[in-house]
C-alpha cells in the first residue's frame, strides 16, 4: 500500500468543495448525506474529511454499525448467558465494553465469567472441542459481511459433531433496514453513501430499490481517495438533480456480489420473520435465524432466556444517531455523561460507532 | 463515580491498557498512597541521587500472548523493556533482577526457551541478571507466564531529561517505524500468514545511549512508546510539558504490513506498541545532528522528524495528508478487533 499522491487527493477535494458549495447555495442549507455504514463514519472522521467538508455537508450516520443496532434486550440476554456457570462466551472485541441495562461483558469477565475475545469466529469451534464441560456460545452480531464467516464456523462445528457449540443469532441485513428508514421519511436526505463491504457480498444491485425514493446514492470504498471519489460522484448527481445508484467502488464491488458467500449464508440461515433493531424497532425479514437443519445450534433452544423487557438505555440517543436524526454533537450526554471510558450507549464503544468516532477524531 | 454508566467496582482488562482507565487507577489509587519526591517525577524510571551520582531505577511486568511471536518472545521482551526504560531516562543499564510467576502446567521446555532467550539478550548487552524469584500459581492457563524485571542504571552526567523542559519550536523525532510490535502480536493472534505478518521490533535501545551521549544537553526528553503507542506517549509528554505537539501524518514512518494489519482490524496504528523505538523531543537546532547520529546505526536508519512543539494546552494533534487536523486522545479501552 503506497502513500496516495497527496496532490491527487487535494485536487479531488477541491472538486468536491466546488460541487458541494454549489449544491449548498442552491438548497440554501447544508447538503445532508447519510453514510449507511459505520466504517464509513469512522473513515470520514479519521481522515479529517468530515471536518474539511463540514461547512457545506452535513454527514449523518446510518444503521450500519452492527453493535449499535443490536437491541438492548439481545445485549441483556447475551450478558445473562455469560453469568451462567457452565457457559463460555466467544465474542469479537467490540462487544466487551458495550453497556447492557445491568452490566457489561468486561465486568462479568472480571467477576469470573468465561469470556473469550476472538479474532476469528472459528476459534469457537476449537474452544468447544477443548472444553467439553462448557457450553460455548458464539455471539453472532454483524451484517451480510459477517454472516458467511459465522456460517463457515457453524458448518465446522456441525461436521465435528460438537454438542456443546451454540450461536446467539443476532445477524442482520442492511438493505431492509435502509428500506425501513427511507419509508419512514428518510430524514430529508439529499444523498446516500452505500456500504462498500456489504455490497461486496450482496452486489450493488441489492440497493437498487433506493432509486424508487428519488435519492441519489453511491457505493464507495474506505480509503481517503475512495471516500472523496464517492462524495464527488454523489454531489455531481445532486447538482444534476439525477437520482441513480452509482458504483464508485467497482474495482471491488460487482453487480451480483460474491456468490459463494451468498451460498454459505443460504445454506445455514433463513429469514427471521421479524427482527428488532435499536432505533428502528421491528423490521420484517431483516435478520437471520438458523436454517431448520441447524436449529439445535441456536442457544435459545438450550437455555430459556428471561430478562426484564427494556426499550433502550433511557437517556442514550443511539437510536436517533443510527437513523440519522441527530449527529453525535447533538446528544446532550456526548462528552458529558457519556465518554469512551464511561459509555452510556453502544455508539460510544463500538469501533464503528458514530459517537466513538466523533469523540476520537472530531472533538476540539 | 456514583453517576457511572458502567460502574466498575472490579478491575477490568481496560485498566491495564495504558489509556484513560490505567491513568485513573494511578491517579486515584497508587500515586496518593505512595506519593514521594521520586515517584512523583512519574518518569519511565525514577532518578535517585547517591553521593553525587544519579542512579535510575525502573520496574516492569510482562504478560504477552502468544509467548513466542515473530521477532521475539516474552524473555527478550522482559529484558529489552526494562533496559529501554533506563536508556530513555539517559542511563546506562548496570544490573537487572527478574521475578517469575510460573503457571501451573507450563511445559518445562517452554520455560527453558524463555529463560535462555533472556540470558542471551542480557549477555549480548553485558548486563548481569543479579537476583530473582520464582513462584508458581494458577495463572489461568499453562502459557500465562508472568515476568517482572527491575533495572538499575547510571544516569549520564549530561542528561537532564524531563517533559517539563519541552518548549515551543522543539522537534519530535522517532527512531524508526511505529507500531511494529503491536501489529506483530495482533497478527499472531489473528493467525495471519507469515508473509503478511509484521515482525516485532523488540530490541534494546543501547545505540540511542551510545550515539547520543555527546548531545544529551540538547535533548529535552526521551520515551519508548510501548503500551498505548506513540499517541499515548506523546499525550503524556504534551500534558506534563504544557505544550501542544503537532505531528505531520505523512512523515511518520510506518511499515506497509503494519498499516495493512491496522486497517484490517480497524485499529489506529498510532496506538500500537513499539518495543525497540525511542521518541525524542530535542532543540530545533540539534535536530539534524540527532537524526544523523541515529541513522548511523542500523536500528535507527528510518529515524525521522515527525512533529513540533507549539504553545498550547497539552494536546497532541495530527495533520493529515489532506490538510485536516485531528486530535489524538487517550484510549479508553484496549484496541480490539472489530466485527466486520
Ligand atoms: S453520546 Fe453516548 S448517550 Fe449520546 S447517543 Fe452517543 S452513545 Fe448514546
Amino acid at each position: 500500500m503506497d502513500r496516495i499522491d497527496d496532490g491527487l487527493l487535494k485536487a479531488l477535494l477541491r472538486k468536491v468543495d466546488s460541487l458541494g458549495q454549489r449544491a449548498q447555495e442552491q438548497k440554501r442549507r447544508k447538503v445532508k448525506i447519510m453514510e449507511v455504514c459505520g466504517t464509513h463514519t469512522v473513515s470520514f472522521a479519521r481522515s479529517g474529511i468530515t471536518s474539511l467538508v463540514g461547512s457545506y455537508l452535513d454527514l449523518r450516520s446510518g444503521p450500519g454499525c452492527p453493535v449499535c443496532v443490536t437491541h438492548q434486550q439481545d445485549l441483556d440476554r447475551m450478558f445473562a448467558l455469560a453469568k451462567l456457570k457452565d457457559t463460555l462466551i466467544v465474542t469479537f472485541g467490540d462487544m466487551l465494553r458495550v453497556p447492557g441495562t445491568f452490566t457489561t461483558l468486561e465486568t462479568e469477565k472480571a467477576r469470573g465469567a468465561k469470556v473469550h475475545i476472538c479474532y476469528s469466529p472459528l476459534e469457537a469451534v476449537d474452544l468447544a472441542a477443548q472444553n467439553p464441560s462448557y457450553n460455548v456460545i458464539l455471539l453472532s452480531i454483524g451484517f451480510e459481511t459477517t454472516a458467511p464467516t459465522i456460517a463457515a464456523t457453524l458448518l465446522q462445528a456441525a461436521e465435528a459433531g460438537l454438542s456443546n457449540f451454540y450461536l446467539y443469532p443476532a445477524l442482520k441485513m442492511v438493505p431492509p433496514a435502509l428500506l425501513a428508514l427511507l419509508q419512514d421519511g428518510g430524514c430529508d436526505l439529499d444523498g446516500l453513501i452505500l456500504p462498500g463491504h456489504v455490497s461486496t457480498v450482496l452486489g450493488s444491485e441489492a440497493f437498487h430499490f433506493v432509486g424508487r425514493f428519488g435519492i441519489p446514492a453511491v457505493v464507495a470504498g474506505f480509503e481517503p481517495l475512495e471516500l472523496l471519489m464517492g462524495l464527488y460522484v454523489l454531489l455531481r448527481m445532486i447538482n444534476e438533480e439525477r437520482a441513480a445508484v452509482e458504483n464508485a467502488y467497482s474495482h471491488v464491488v460487482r453487480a451480483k456480489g460474491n456468490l459463494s458467500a451468498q451460498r454459505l449464508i443460504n445454506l445455514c440461515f433463513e429469514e427471521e420473520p421479524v427482527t428488532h433493531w435499536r432505533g428502528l424497532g421491528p423490521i420484517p425479514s431483516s435478520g437471520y435465524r438458523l436454517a431448520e437443519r441447524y436449529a439445535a445450534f441456536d442457544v435459545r433452544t438450550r437455555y430459556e432466556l428471561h430478562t426484564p423487557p427494556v426499550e433502550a438505555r433511557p437517556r442514550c440517543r443511539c437510536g436517533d444517531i443510527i437513523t440519522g436524526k441527530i449527529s453525535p454533537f447533538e446528544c446532550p450526554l456526548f462528552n458529558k455523561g457519556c465518554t469512551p471510558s464511561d459509555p452510556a450507549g453502544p455508539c460510544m464503544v463500538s469501533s464503528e460507532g458514530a459517537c466513538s468516532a466523533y469523540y476520537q477524531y472530531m472533538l476540539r | 463515580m456514583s453517576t457511572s454508566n458502567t460502574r466498575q467496582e472490579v478491575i477490568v482488562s481496560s485498566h491495564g491498557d495504558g489509556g484513560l482507565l490505567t491513568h485513573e487507577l494511578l491517579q486515584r489509587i497508587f500515586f496518593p498512597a505512595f506519593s514521594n519526591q521520586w515517584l512523583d517525577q512519574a518518569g519511565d524510571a525514577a532518578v535517585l541521587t547517591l553521593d553525587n551520582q544519579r542512579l535510575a531505577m525502573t520496574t516492569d511486568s510482562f504478560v504477552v500472548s502468544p509467548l513466542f511471536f515473530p521477532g521475539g518472545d516474552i524473555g527478550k521482551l522482559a529484558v529489552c523493556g526494562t533496559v529501554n526504560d533506563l536508556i530513555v531516562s539517559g542511563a546506562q543499564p548496570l544490573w537487572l533482577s527478574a521475578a517469575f510467576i510460573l503457571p501451573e502446567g507450563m511445559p518445562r521446555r517452554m520455560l527453558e526457551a524463555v529463560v535462555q532467550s533472556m540470558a542471551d539478550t542480557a549477555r549480548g548487552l553485558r548486563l548481569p541478571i543479579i537476583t530473582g524469584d520464582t513462584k508458581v500459581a494458577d495463572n489461568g492457563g499453562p502459557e500465562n507466564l508472568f515476568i517482572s524485571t527491575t533495572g538499575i542504571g547510571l544516569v549520564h552526567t549530561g542528561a537532564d531529561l524531563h517533559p517539563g523542559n519541552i518548549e515551543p519550536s522543539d522537534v519530535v523525532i522517532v527512531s524508526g517505524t511505529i507500531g511494529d510490535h503491536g501489529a506483530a502480536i495482533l497478527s499472531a493472534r489473528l493467525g495471519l500468514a507469515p508473509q503478511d505478518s509484521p515482525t516485532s521490533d523488540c530490541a534494546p535501545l543501547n545505540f540511542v545511549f551510545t550515539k547520543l551521549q555527546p548531545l544529551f544537553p540538547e535533548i529535552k526528553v526521551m520515551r519508548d512508546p510501548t503500551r498505548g503507542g506513540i499517541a499515548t506517549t506523546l499525550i503524556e509528554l504534551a500534558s506534563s510539558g504544557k505544550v501542544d505537539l503537532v505531528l505531520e501524518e505523512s512523515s511518520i514512518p510506518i511499515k506497509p504490513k503494519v498499516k495493512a494489519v491496522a486497517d484490517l482490524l480497524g485499529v489506529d496504528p498510532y496506538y500500537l506498541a513499539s518495543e525497540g523505538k525511542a521518541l525524542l523531543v530535542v532543540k530545533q537546532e540539534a535536530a539534524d545532528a540527532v537524526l544523523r547520529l541515529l541513522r548511523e546505526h542500523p536500528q535507527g536508519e528510518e529515524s525521522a522528524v515527525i512533529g513540533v512543539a507549539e504553545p498550547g494546552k497539552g494536546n497532541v494533534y495530527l495533520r493529515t495528508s489532506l490538510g485536516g487536523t485531528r486530535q489524538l486522545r487517550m484510549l479508553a479501552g484496549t484496541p480490539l478487533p472489530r466485527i466486520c
Side-chain angles (χ1 to χ4, degrees):
Chain A
M1 244 181 291
D2 293 325
R3 281 195 187 284
I4 306 278
D5 181 350
D6 285 359
L8 189 60
L9 276 173
K10 284 184 183 142
L12 190 52
L13 179 63
R14 275 194 300 274
K15 292 203 167 203
V16 169
D17 278 343
S18 79
L19 283 178
Q21 282 152 2
R22 188 163 4 128
Q24 181 196 25
E25 272 163 33
Q26 217 171 45
K27 295 186 187 300
R28 296 165 188 272
R29 58 166 173 79
K30 286 191 191 180
V31 183
K32 202 159 157 189
I33 289 174
M34 172 180 281
E35 70 271 351
V36 176
C37 169
T39 312
H40 272 141
T41 307
V42 175
S43 306
F44 271 120
R46 177 144 91 191
S47 62
I49 295 177
T50 313
S51 319
L52 288 168
V53 301
S55 62
Y56 54 88
L57 285 194
D58 180 0
L59 287 174
R60 294 292 169 99
S61 305
C65 157
V67 171
C68 310
V69 297
T70 301
H71 198 265
Q72 192 75 12
Q73 182 117 45
D74 282 319
L75 294 178
D76 288 343
R77 290 187 171 169
M78 291 172 187
F79 303 165
L81 282 168
K83 286 172 137 178
L84 300 178
K85 289 271 168 288
D86 62 343
T87 56
L88 191 165
I89 303 289
V90 181
T91 176
F92 286 104
D94 303 48
M95 280 293 288
L96 202 59
R97 306 185 58 249
V98 172
T101 311
F102 313 102
T103 185
T104 67
L105 276 182
E106 189 178 45
T107 304
E108 291 312 317
K109 180 169 186 270
R111 288 193 179 129
K114 294 257 178 294
V115 178
H116 174 85
I117 307 292
C118 73
Y119 287 72
S120 153
L122 290 169
E123 291 167 41
V125 177
D126 294 337
L127 282 167
Q130 290 155 10
N131 297 278
S133 55
Y134 285 98
N135 286 322
V136 171
I137 304 166
L138 175 63
L139 303 185
S140 311
I141 293 181
F143 297 127
E144 290 87 345
T145 40
T146 314
T149 347
I150 304 279
T153 309
L154 178 66
L155 292 178
Q156 271 207 14
E159 176 135 350
L162 292 169
S163 58
N164 64 331
F165 172 91
Y166 296 96
L167 296 183
Y168 189 114
L171 292 165
K172 295 181 177 58
M173 306 174 190
V174 176
L178 188 58
L179 179 64
L181 190 87
L182 293 175
Q183 280 169 340
D184 203 29
C187 334
D188 324 315
L189 294 173
D190 297 309
L192 277 168
I193 296 180
L194 298 171
H197 292 141
V198 173
S199 304
T200 316
V201 176
L202 294 182
S204 53
E205 287 180 0
F207 288 103
H208 273 177
F209 68 86
V210 172
R212 296 209 302 269
F213 294 88
I215 301 176
V218 66
V219 180
F222 299 90
E223 291 297 321
L225 189 68
E226 296 168 332
L227 295 169
L228 286 175
M229 199 58 211
L231 284 180
Y232 174 74
V233 170
L234 192 58
L235 285 166
R236 212 176 40 190
M237 282 191 274
I238 293 174
N239 275 311
E240 292 167 1
E241 296 185 14
R242 184 165 60 81
V245 181
E246 296 203 349
N247 186 356
Y249 198 35
S250 52
H251 52 295
V252 178
V253 174
R254 280 163 295 168
K256 302 263 178 234
N258 179 339
L259 295 177
S260 53
Q262 290 169 23
R263 227 172 288 127
L264 262 180
I265 296 180
N266 293 334
L267 191 62
C268 295
F269 301 110
E270 55 191 38
E271 274 178 23
E272 182 109 60
V274 176
T275 297
H276 290 265
W277 294 60
R278 182 191 298 271
L280 289 159
I283 305 178
S285 302
S286 66
Y288 295 104
R289 71 174 177 204
L290 290 168
E292 190 143 351
R293 56 198 293 221
Y294 298 115
F297 288 103
D298 188 329
V299 72
R300 294 169 299 186
T301 62
R302 174 69 182 73
Y303 297 97
E304 268 202 45
L305 302 173
H306 294 295
T307 51
V310 277
E311 253 327 292
R313 309 270 309 180
R315 302 166 307 146
C316 166
R317 296 194 60 191
C318 280
D320 293 333
I321 301 274
I322 56 196
T323 47
K325 294 196 182 78
I326 62 168
S327 108
F329 291 139
E330 294 170 69
C331 170
L333 290 189
F334 183 82
N335 195 24
K336 297 194 181 76
C338 179
T339 58
S341 54
D342 190 21
C347 300
M348 192 53 104
V349 202
S350 169
S351 52
E352 291 155 290
C355 301
S356 153
Y358 276 54
Y359 185 93
Q360 192 74 15
Y361 303 124
M362 306 252 313
L363 205 59
R364 279 293 128 80
Chain B
M1 291 210 286
S2 57
T3 54
S4 168
N5 301 307
T6 53
R7 203 180 295 262
Q8 261 142 20
E9 272 138 22
V10 287
I11 298 300
V12 297
S13 57
S14 304
H15 281 118
D17 64 13
L20 276 174
L21 291 183
T22 308
H23 277 253
E24 188 255 347
L25 218 56
L26 293 180
Q27 295 312 329
R28 285 181 192 234
I29 299 186
F30 291 101
F31 276 106
F34 296 154
S35 175
N36 59 58
Q37 56 174 314
W38 299 279
L39 181 75
D40 297 347
Q41 302 163 0
D44 276 355
V47 175
L48 318 158
T49 309
L50 256 187
D51 291 341
N52 296 325
Q53 300 258 47
R54 284 182 304 158
L55 293 179
M57 178 169 167
T58 186
T59 190
D60 215 335
S61 318
F62 299 84
V63 286
V64 61
S65 160
L67 291 180
F68 299 85
F69 45 82
D73 57 78
I74 190 173
K76 184 179 178 191
L77 193 65
V79 172
C80 296
T82 291
V83 163
N84 292 348
D85 278 347
L86 291 173
I87 301 278
V88 296
S89 306
Q92 168 85 54
L94 296 177
W95 302 288
L96 220 57
S97 78
F100 299 79
I101 302 183
L102 311 178
E104 263 176 341
M106 181 178 198
R108 216 184 146 90
R109 289 250 288 288
M110 197 181 260
L111 177 62
E112 279 167 2
V114 168
V115 172
Q116 194 55 48
S117 164
M118 282 183 85
D120 293 345
T121 312
R123 199 169 303 122
L125 300 170
R126 300 200 192 155
L127 183 63
I129 299 179
I130 53 167
T131 181
D133 180 50
T134 312
K135 298 278 188 299
V136 176
D138 172 12
N139 292 354
E143 296 196 11
N144 292 354
L145 170 66
F146 306 152
I147 304 182
S148 173
T149 53
T150 299
I152 292 182
L154 186 62
V155 181
H156 191 274
T157 46
D160 172 30
L161 304 175
H162 192 271
N165 298 334
I166 306 178
E167 291 166 300
S169 90
D170 286 348
V171 167
V172 184
I173 291 176
V174 67
S175 72
T177 54
I178 62 149
D180 298 47
H181 177 74
I185 296 294
L186 284 177
S187 22
R189 290 191 199 147
L190 191 66
L192 277 192
Q195 69 271 17
D196 298 327
S197 299
T199 305
S200 168
D201 55 351
C202 175
L205 284 170
N206 293 56
F207 80 100
V208 172
F209 185 90
T210 341
K211 289 281 178 195
L212 295 185
Q213 279 183 51
L215 289 179
F216 273 166
E218 316 296 319
I219 300 177
K220 301 293 185 80
V221 68
M222 298 198 280
R223 283 280 196 274
D224 59 332
T226 55
R227 179 176 66 177
I230 63 163
T232 306
T233 305
L234 290 173
I235 293 165
E236 284 165 8
L237 289 182
S239 55
S240 39
K242 311 255 175 342
V243 290
D244 284 349
L245 297 175
V246 182
L247 310 180
E248 205 61 59
E249 183 163 46
S250 56
S251 55
I252 302 177
I254 176 163
K255 294 207 172 83
K257 278 184 188 175
V258 171
K259 170 105 179 21
V261 168
D263 284 349
L264 182 70
L265 292 175
V267 300
D268 203 332
Y270 309 119
Y271 295 87
L272 290 178
S274 302
E275 290 289 348
K277 299 291 156 39
L279 274 173
L280 306 89
V281 183
V282 307
K283 285 186 196 158
Q284 193 183 29
E285 314 84 80
D288 287 343
V290 168
L291 267 190
R292 193 164 2 95
L293 288 175
L294 286 174
R295 286 178 180 162
E296 279 173 14
H297 193 275
Q299 268 176 268
E301 268 169 3
E302 291 177 89
S303 297
V305 169
I306 59 169
V308 290
E310 289 180 359
K313 298 197 197 111
N315 296 324
V316 177
Y317 295 101
L318 185 74
R319 256 203 286 269
T320 65
S321 359
L322 267 173
T325 307
R326 70 172 163 101
Q327 189 179 346
L328 294 180
R329 296 172 171 276
M330 282 274 181
L331 268 199
T334 325
L336 288 165
R338 64 170 168 223
I339 280 176
C340 78

